[in-house]
Amino acid sequence: KRFAFVNLVDLLAAIKTHSHFQSNPMTIHNCPVKVGFGNDRNVRPQKKPNPDLTTTTGESRAVFIGSLPPDTSYAQVCQLGIPYGIIDAANVNSEKGSAFINFVENDAAARIYEAHQANPLKIGEAELKIGWAKSNPLKDDVRNAVDMGANRMLSIKGLTREVTEQALKDALLPIQNIYGVLGRVVLVEMSDDELAAAQEAQKSENVETLVPVDDNADENGNQAEDAENKDEENSIGPMKALIDLGTLTSAMKIKRKIEERDHPIVLDGTKIQPDFATPAEMEQAAAVPQ
C-alpha cells in the first residue's frame, strides 16, 4: 500500500515533525511524500520505572500544589507546569493557597514531581509543596484535538497595525471573562508566506459566501455592492496575535465559542478567526521579551 507509520518519542515531537513537513514538503527519490497524523493505538516508548513513583503516582496525570502565596495568579500556576508538558486544565484556590494541575500525559506530571524532588519549585521566595492528585481519564475530544495539533496558545492572523493588546482583550470579552485565564498576548508581524495564505483564505471564504446568486438581485447592483462591503469588513492586515491561555481546555473553549457565534467578532475591519498556534509560533512568542 506504499505507506509507513513512525512513532515519535512523545506527542510534542510528533506535532513539531508534522508542522515542519507542512512548510517543508518531503520527497523520496524525487517523489512527493504526504505526512499526516496516524492513530496512536497507545504505542508509547517504555521507560524504566522509577521506584519512587510507581507506588505513588497511581498512574495520575494530576498534581497538587500547596503553600502558594496569597496573591498567586492562575497564569503563575500555569507557568509552573508549562515547561513539563501540555496542561489540560488548572484550578487555583487562593483562599487555601493551593492549586491542581491536570496534564494531558501522565509523564508530564511525573516530570514536574521529579523536578520538585530534586530542586523544590518556588513562586518568588515561597517554596511550594507538590504531591499527587487523583485524575480522571482524558476526554476523547481533548485527546483527538491534541492529536490534531491543539495546544494552549491561539493565533489570530490578519490584524491591522492599529490593533492593541487592550483592544483585542476588549473584543474577546463578550466570549468569556478572559482576564482570569489570559497569560500573555504577543503582537508580531506575519511573514510574507503567512500574509499570502491569509489573503488566499479570505478570497476562498468570499467566494463560498458570495457565489450563490440572489434571483432578486439585479445584474450589476446590490450583490456586487455586498461583495465590496464584505471585502472592506474582512480586510487583511500584516499582524497576528499569539494569545497564551495557559491550558489546553481554555484555548479549546474560547476557540469554539468564537467559531459558534451567530455574528463574527470584527476588530478594526478584521474578522477574528483563531487557530491553534503552531510549534514555530509558540517559539516565536517565547522569544519576545516580556
Side-chain angles (χ1 to χ4, degrees):
K1 295 183 179 181
R2 303 181 67 184
F3 62 80
F5 293 95
V6 178
N7 287 289
L8 280 299
V9 174
D10 56 33
L11 175 64
L12 185 57
I15 293 173
K16 287 184 176 180
T17 301
H18 180 267
S19 177
H20 172 79
F21 286 122
Q22 299 310 299
S23 55
N24 301 279
M26 180 171 64
T27 59
I28 297 179
H29 300 306
N30 296 322
C31 295
V33 177
K34 295 181 179 179
V35 178
F37 290 110
N39 291 327
D40 187 3
R41 298 189 184 279
N42 296 319
V43 178
R44 294 188 177 91
Q46 297 298 314
K47 293 185 176 181
K48 184 178 180 180
N50 183 330
D52 293 331
L53 295 179
T54 52
T55 58
T56 311
T57 67
E59 293 300 319
S60 177
R61 59 187 179 90
V63 293
F64 165 84
I65 302 176
S67 299
L68 293 173
D71 57 349
T72 300
S73 68
Y74 179 91
Q76 285 177 302
V77 170
C78 291
Q79 287 300 318
L80 288 173
I82 284 172
Y84 303 98
I86 302 176
I87 300 175
D88 173 26
N91 190 329
V92 182
N93 189 325
S94 300
E95 293 183 358
K96 295 184 177 181
S98 62
F100 292 90
I101 296 179
N102 287 272
F103 291 92
V104 169
E105 302 289 350
N106 293 3
D107 287 350
R111 283 192 289 270
I112 190 173
Y113 181 87
E114 289 184 315
H116 179 72
Q117 303 310 306
N119 187 18
L121 301 181
K122 296 181 178 181
I123 289 182
E125 297 299 319
E127 185 173 309
L128 307 178
K129 296 179 180 178
I130 293 186
W132 292 102
K134 294 181 180 179
S135 64
N136 295 320
L138 191 68
K139 295 180 180 178
D140 289 341
D141 63 331
V142 176
R143 169 62 66 189
N144 294 335
V146 171
D147 290 343
M148 295 300 294
N151 56 71
R152 71 179 195 277
M153 189 174 291
L154 297 179
S155 173
I156 299 175
K157 297 181 176 66
L159 300 175
T160 65
R161 296 186 186 279
E162 286 70 30
V163 172
T164 63
E165 177 181 340
Q166 188 59 50
L168 188 58
K169 288 180 178 179
D170 291 343
L172 294 177
L173 190 58
I175 298 296
Q176 179 177 317
N177 184 8
I178 195 172
Y179 300 105
V181 296
L182 183 61
R184 191 177 181 218
V185 174
V186 175
L187 293 168
V188 293
E189 192 160 347
M190 292 194 294
S191 67
D192 292 340
D193 289 344
E194 288 177 321
L195 182 57
Q199 291 171 337
E200 189 62 32
Q202 182 202 41
K203 290 179 182 177
S204 298
E205 180 182 353
N206 288 346
V207 168
E208 291 177 1
T209 56
L210 296 175
V211 163
V213 177
D214 184 352
D215 293 335
N216 297 322
D218 54 30
E219 184 174 344
N220 297 308
N222 294 332
Q223 191 167 350
E225 182 178 350
D226 289 344
E228 182 178 350
N229 291 339
K230 187 173 183 64
D231 286 338
E232 291 178 359
E233 293 174 359
N234 280 333
S235 60
I236 296 294
M239 305 296 290
K240 66 180 176 181
L242 302 176
I243 307 176
D244 192 340
L245 282 307
T247 68
L248 174 64
T249 297
S250 293
M252 289 178 61
K253 183 176 181 180
I254 290 178
K255 182 177 185 294
R256 182 169 60 249
K257 286 193 174 184
I258 292 175
E259 293 171 342
E260 291 176 350
R261 283 177 62 91
D262 292 333
H263 302 288
I265 299 175
V266 178
L267 183 59
D268 197 27
T270 301
K271 181 180 176 181
I272 301 299
Q273 295 177 299
D275 292 311
F276 290 110
T278 64
E281 287 179 317
M282 297 180 75
E283 292 178 5
Q284 185 180 21
V288 176
Q290 298 196 30

